[in-house]
Amino acid sequence: MTVLAASLFSLSWTHSVQKTEWRETWAVTPDGLVLEEARVKGSGAGMDPPEDAVFEDGWWVYRPNRPPLPSLTLAASGATGGGWTLCAEGQCLSLGETAGAPITVAPCDRPPHE
């Protein structure tokens, strides 16, 4: 288990078919994980940005309106040429680069030790 003390984190990956970068910003709230913003470098293969997306600096940017989630489950197929990059508080972790069990990202149920 890896623990990061952060109230905001980004999650990025490269789409396995389109080879296009995708990036999301998540907030850790008392209600769960809230998707604050999504960015995608292109479209196609089921990853088209919504109609209200704005093109900024080479990215389609939009703000999804979704309820908080208790956790995120990230596949680790090892077949995408890379995994997920999770960044928070200036630290980045690579997750799921090789085939293995899915990875769960969830808020801690207790404060970190001091």
Side-chain angles (χ1 to χ4, degrees):
M1 176 188 330
T2 300
V3 177
L4 293 173
S7 59
L8 198 66
F9 66 91
S10 69
L11 188 62
S12 61
W13 67 95
T14 299
H15 190 277
S16 61
V17 175
Q18 294 299 122
K19 307 298 183 210
T20 301
E21 188 176 356
W22 194 294
R23 190 176 299 160
E24 296 175 340
T25 301
W26 290 84
V28 181
T29 74
D31 295 328
L33 301 175
V34 176
L35 180 55
E36 296 282 324
E37 180 183 88
R39 295 173 168 262
V40 63
K41 283 269 188 175
S43 62
M47 52 183 256
D48 294 315
E51 289 183 17
D52 63 343
V54 176
F55 195 71
E56 293 179 1
D57 298 323
W59 294 85
W60 286 103
V61 181
Y62 59 100
R63 301 197 187 306
N65 184 16
R66 303 224 169 122
L69 298 173
S71 65
L72 300 174
T73 300
L74 309 176
S77 69
T80 61
W84 309 83
T85 301
L86 187 148
C87 297
E89 301 291 325
Q91 294 182 312
C92 293
L93 301 171
S94 293
L95 307 169
E97 291 178 302
T98 58
I103 297 147
T104 301
V105 177
C108 292
D109 59 357
R110 62 186 179 281
H113 297 288
E114 300 201 27

